[in-house]
C-alpha cells in the first residue's frame, strides 16, 4: 500500500500527525518518505512539503537512531512541519504584513516567540499572533517603539473588521493605542 494512503488512513482513525509519522517510520525504517507521506496526507502542497523537510532533514531525518520514531514525530510536529497552511484573505495578508513590520520594529524578539508567530501565520491563527505581540514590549535601544505600537494598532484595527473578531482584540487594540501615544 502507498505510504500516503496509509498516512491518510491513520489520520482518519484519529492519530495525530506525530503518531502517524512514528507508525510509518517504524514500519518502513525510512524517515524521509514517512514524513513526506504524512505531509501529503494532510494536503500540504508538495513544494511546501519539500521545503519543510529540507529544513529539518540533516537534524532529524538523515541519520535516524533506532526506537526514536516517536520522539522524531513529536519534534517534527513541534517544528510545524505538519502544520496545514491556511489560505488568507487580502485583509488577513495585510494583517500579517503589519505584524511582520512590528516584529522588525521590536528589536529583539526571542527565537521561540518568532517560531510560534511563524506557525500562527501559516495556520491563519492571526488573533493569537496579534495578542502575543501586544503583550511584548519593544526594545527601546534596538527597536522602534513608536513604529511597533502604531503598526500593531493598524493590525488590530484590521482584525476588528474580520468576521471572527474577538473582544480580546478590542482590549489589546486599546492597549496598543495607549502605548503609541506614550512613545
Amino acid at each position: 500500500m502507498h505510504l500516503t494512503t496509509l498516512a491518510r488512513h491513520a489520520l482518519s482513525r484519529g492519530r495525530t500527525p506525530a503518531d502517524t509519522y512514528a507508525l510509518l517510520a517504524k514500519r518502513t525504517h525510512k524517515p524521509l518518505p514517512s514524513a513526506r507521506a504524512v505531509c501529503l496526507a494532510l494536503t500540504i502542497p508538495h513544494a511546501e512539503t519539500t521545503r519543510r523537510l529540507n529544513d529539518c532533514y540533516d537534524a532529524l531525518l538523515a541519520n535516524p537512531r533506532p526506537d526514536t520514531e516517536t520522539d522524531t514525530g513529536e519534534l517534527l510536529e513541534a517544528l510545524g512541519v505538519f502544520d496545514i497552511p491556511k489560505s488568507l484573505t487580502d485583509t488577513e495578508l495585510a494583517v500579517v504584513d503589519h505584524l511582520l513590520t512590528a516584529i522588525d520594529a521590536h528589536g529583539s524578539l526571542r527565537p521561540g516567540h518568532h517560531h510560534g508567530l511563524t506557525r500562527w501565520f501559516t495556520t491563519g491563527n492571526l488573533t493569537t499572533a496579534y495578542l502575543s505581540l501586544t503583550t511584548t514590549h519593544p526594545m527601546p535601544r534596538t527597536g522602534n517603539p513608536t513604529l511597533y505600537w502604531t503598526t500593531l494598532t493598524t493590525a488590530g484595527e484590521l482584525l476588528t473588521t474580520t468576521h471572527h473578531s474577538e473582544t480580546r482584540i478590542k482590549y489589546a487594540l486599546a492597549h496598543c493605542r495607549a502605548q503609541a501615544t506614550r512613545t
Side-chain angles (χ1 to χ4, degrees):
M1 190 179 278
H2 194 265
L3 278 181
T4 303
T5 304
L6 286 173
R8 272 192 209 100
H9 179 72
L11 292 165
S12 73
R13 301 290 248 203
R15 286 188 179 263
T16 66
D19 291 339
T20 301
Y21 166 81
L23 175 78
L24 296 177
K26 284 177 188 175
R27 178 181 274 188
T28 65
H29 303 287
K30 297 179 180 178
L32 181 60
S34 298
R36 180 176 287 111
V38 174
C39 288
L40 295 176
L42 291 167
T43 67
I44 298 169
H46 191 272
E48 179 64 13
T49 293
T50 300
R51 184 195 65 75
R52 291 179 187 189
L53 294 176
N54 284 344
D55 287 349
C56 66
Y57 178 77
D58 290 335
L60 294 174
L61 303 172
N63 297 308
R65 290 191 331 243
D67 301 320
T68 60
E69 296 88 357
T70 300
D71 293 338
T72 301
E74 290 173 1
L75 282 169
L76 291 169
E77 194 161 6
L79 290 171
V81 170
F82 301 136
D83 286 351
I84 301 170
K86 179 185 181 273
S87 294
L88 301 177
T89 66
D90 289 342
T91 301
E92 290 170 329
L93 289 170
V95 169
V96 169
D97 285 342
H98 288 295
L99 295 179
L100 289 171
T101 299
I103 290 168
D104 288 341
H106 182 276
S108 183
L109 204 59
R110 293 181 336 271
H113 191 181
H114 197 279
H115 175 71
L117 289 164
T118 301
R119 290 189 69 191
W120 291 325
F121 296 160
T122 300
T123 59
N125 195 348
L126 303 184
T127 297
T128 302
Y130 176 72
L131 294 172
S132 151
L133 286 170
T134 63
T135 61
T136 304
H137 292 277
M139 306 308 273
R141 291 185 185 172
T142 58
N144 182 338
T146 302
L147 179 61
Y148 183 78
W149 293 114
T150 57
T151 304
L152 285 179
T153 298
T154 304
E157 289 167 350
L158 286 171
L159 280 172
T160 61
T161 66
T162 62
H163 65 279
H164 55 274
S165 178
E166 296 183 23
T167 304
R168 296 180 305 161
I169 293 174
K170 294 173 185 164
Y171 287 115
L173 176 57
H175 170 73
C176 291
R177 285 183 177 137
Q179 291 295 325
T181 60
R182 291 184 193 149
T183 56

